[in-house]
Amino acid sequence: MTTPFTAAIIILLTAVSSLSPSAHALGGSAATVAVVYGSATTICTIISQQPLQQIQCWQNGQLLPPIIPTTSFDYIAGGRDTLCATRSGGFILLCWNTTFNSKRLYNNYSAPLTSLTIGDTQICGLTNITSRQSVICWRGNEISSVQTPNGTLGFSAISSGLGFSCGVLEGNSRVLCWGDDNNSVSIQSEFSNFSMSNIQVGGRHACGMDNSGVVICKGNNENSQLDVPSNSSYEYSGLALGSNHSCAIRRLNRTVVCWGGDGEFSSNVTDGISFESIVAGLNYTCGLTTILFFWA
């Protein structure tokens, strides 16, 4: 991970988006960079290699003071008007609106959160109970068990998109989805013959790497968002999905390639640039890199 003095966020691979406040974003899985959409476009990252891993945000192009500067965080995820983060250790989950009023959603020192994902308004995490990682989900201000996987199931990874979430089951590496019936049932069925190591959810599609390192994409393909341009084993090390496009980091040189979106998600602005991580909005992708800052 990069240091706070060299880390930069690049808004990349957009044909026309200027990140207006009306832009949408997908939360995806927990990471060290997140995008929040709605009343104000906000991009946040966790500063690493410091005694405190603070959250640093940019809102509508302006650098904001660190959030709770005396607190250290492990993961962040963003959704519609919501940013959430786990405090270091995973015992406490805090969420903020776009004016950064905070709310504590989780506080359990016997079952720390090991992962976090936001899709639109649904917030889900993995909590370490005994020998398995079980899913717990919140919707709005209330904990919701509706359409949430049975607590006896263990997951190795989860991700959320618009209206549904998917996870990879421990043990058999199969994909299980929940939420919107049409998307979740269909995509889960299309992944039924694959053993997966991870999963990322977009608008109406999902992609992940199978156990041989090949990227598998299923779901809606109206904009060619399933058509991976090159796909050898372990060619990619990270995925980010928008509404109708998909992006990946090449393992060899850590540059980014995108596909789908009717060909709109291509640009020479990132040629030769290596990325630490990427996260997608509905119609744009953001990446954490080690060179100077761009705002498109």
Side-chain angles (χ1 to χ4, degrees):
M1 177 56 75
T2 58
T3 69
F5 303 104
T6 59
I9 294 175
I10 290 182
I11 299 166
L12 66 149
L13 305 170
T14 61
V16 296
S17 173
S18 61
L19 288 186
S20 65
S22 61
H24 292 257
L26 299 183
S29 301
T32 56
V33 61
V35 177
V36 179
Y37 75 91
S39 59
T41 297
T42 307
I43 302 171
C44 298
T45 185
I46 292 179
I47 298 175
S48 67
Q49 296 184 355
Q50 295 291 295
L52 290 176
Q53 296 185 159
Q54 298 174 329
I55 298 175
Q56 183 72 70
C57 295
W58 293 260
Q59 190 172 87
N60 294 331
Q62 300 298 314
L63 180 65
L64 303 178
I67 299 175
I68 314 181
T70 58
T71 302
S72 186
F73 295 91
D74 286 339
Y75 307 111
I76 54 176
R80 187 177 67 188
D81 288 328
T82 302
L83 173 73
C84 293
T86 58
R87 289 183 56 175
S88 292
F91 306 111
I92 295 175
L93 173 63
L94 297 176
C95 295
W96 299 266
N97 59 19
T98 52
T99 59
F100 295 101
N101 294 315
S102 66
K103 178 179 179 63
R104 186 170 63 185
L105 259 63
Y106 187 78
N107 184 10
N108 190 336
Y109 280 81
S110 64
L113 293 172
T114 58
S115 185
L116 177 68
T117 180
I118 303 178
D120 198 25
T121 60
Q122 185 183 55
I123 303 165
C124 292
L126 293 179
T127 181
N128 194 359
I129 300 176
T130 62
S131 61
R132 67 181 184 276
Q133 296 188 110
S134 298
V135 170
I136 182 171
C137 292
W138 300 263
R139 185 178 295 277
N141 294 324
E142 301 295 331
I143 295 177
S144 172
S145 60
V146 177
Q147 300 176 325
T148 301
N150 188 300
T152 62
L153 296 174
F155 290 82
S156 61
I158 57 173
S159 179
S160 296
L162 291 182
F164 74 105
S165 303
C166 293
V168 178
L169 290 168
E170 293 177 339
N172 63 12
S173 299
R174 301 300 184 187
V175 170
L176 179 68
C177 299
W178 61 97
D180 176 85
D181 288 339
N182 292 330
N183 284 329
S184 61
V185 172
S186 174
I187 289 176
Q188 178 177 311
S189 176
E190 291 183 52
F191 274 105
S192 62
N193 293 325
F194 297 93
S195 295
M196 305 298 294
S197 62
N198 57 50
I199 194 77
Q200 288 291 327
V201 177
R204 290 184 293 161
H205 72 297
C207 297
M209 296 177 191
D210 69 11
N211 286 340
S212 67
V214 174
V215 174
I216 307 295
C217 293
K218 298 296 180 182
N220 181 275
N221 197 33
E222 290 179 357
N223 302 100
S224 301
Q225 60 264 47
L226 308 186
D227 301 337
V228 187
S230 175
N231 201 6
S232 59
S233 293
Y234 301 106
E235 183 172 354
Y236 303 107
S237 62
L239 294 167
L241 276 59
S243 176
N244 61 6
H245 77 284
S246 308
C247 296
I249 298 176
R250 297 182 179 95
R251 187 181 296 271
L252 181 63
N253 57 14
R254 303 199 65 82
T255 58
V256 170
V257 59
C258 292
W259 59 95
D262 288 331
E264 293 182 352
F265 290 85
S266 60
S267 172
N268 61 8
V269 70
T270 61
D271 286 352
I273 299 174
S274 61
F275 288 86
E276 298 294 327
S277 62
I278 53 176
V279 62
L282 284 191
N283 58 353
Y284 58 90
T285 299
C286 298
L288 182 65
T289 184
T290 55
I291 65 171
L292 61 87
F293 179 80
F294 292 84
W295 189 271

